Amino acid sequence: MKIKIFFKLLVMLFAIILFVNCSGGIKNENSNVKDNEKVEEKVTKGEITDEVYVEISAQLMYISTKYAIASEKVENIAGQASLGEEAKKEIEAVFNKYGVTEKNLEEYAKKFEENTLSLIKLTSAIAKRAAELTKE
């Protein structure tokens, strides 16, 4: 995963946290995705929709956070490199599962650069889904 996408996800997460704290919350009608099966039923492999974008982004955020926390506990470089390889495999599996590439995801995300409201709604859904993944 490119660092660029990771930082975009972090910026979006912080933006939504700030927005939710300032506005008292957002309700997103499309954020009721509870598990991967619901997303998979709605899409064709290789197709990116808002739901797929949310699911992939949330899983990437979850994986990145999980391995960042795990790497803090590993004191040697070999162990951290091993964790990095594990994270890379998990990330590749997410992209393979949905039949998309990182570039496809980046291109889809560009449509939200000028539509701030849509970006905020999707970011809220991503944060909510990432929290659900953490609890699973």
Side-chain angles (χ1 to χ4, degrees):
M1 180 171 80
K2 292 181 183 176
I3 293 177
K4 184 178 176 182
I5 287 182
F6 179 71
F7 285 123
K8 281 184 180 179
L9 290 173
L10 284 177
V11 168
M12 289 190 308
L13 179 62
F14 289 126
I16 196 62
I17 290 170
L18 178 65
F19 184 80
V20 169
N21 285 337
C22 293
S23 69
I26 287 181
K27 292 190 178 185
N28 186 349
E29 296 167 5
N30 295 328
S31 66
N32 60 353
V33 177
K34 296 294 182 199
D35 53 31
N36 297 339
E37 288 76 30
K38 288 184 180 180
V39 172
E40 290 170 358
E41 290 173 4
K42 297 179 183 180
V43 299
T44 305
K45 190 169 184 165
E47 175 187 5
I48 298 182
T49 63
D50 286 358
E51 286 115 355
V52 170
Y53 180 80
V54 167
E55 184 64 30
I56 292 172
S57 298
Q59 287 190 29
L60 295 178
M61 185 179 292
Y62 169 74
I63 292 166
S64 298
T65 303
K66 177 174 79 170
Y67 282 100
I69 292 168
S71 71
E72 289 177 357
K73 298 174 184 175
V74 176
E75 295 180 9
N76 60 37
I77 295 173
Q80 290 183 350
S82 176
L83 284 175
E85 286 300 314
E86 289 177 35
K88 182 179 176 183
K89 287 178 185 176
E90 280 192 44
I91 290 168
E92 288 173 356
V94 170
F95 282 112
N96 289 336
K97 181 177 186 176
Y98 292 97
V100 299
T101 64
E102 188 175 339
K103 185 176 181 179
N104 298 136
L105 198 67
E106 287 176 8
E107 290 172 4
Y108 189 81
K110 286 181 184 177
K111 77 178 198 175
F112 301 111
E113 289 177 0
E114 295 180 13
N115 190 343
T116 309
L117 185 57
S118 291
L119 179 63
I120 291 171
K121 287 180 179 181
L122 282 179
T123 304
S124 174
I126 291 167
K128 181 178 179 181
R129 179 64 181 133
E132 290 172 356
L133 288 170
T134 303
K135 291 177 184 177
E136 291 178 1

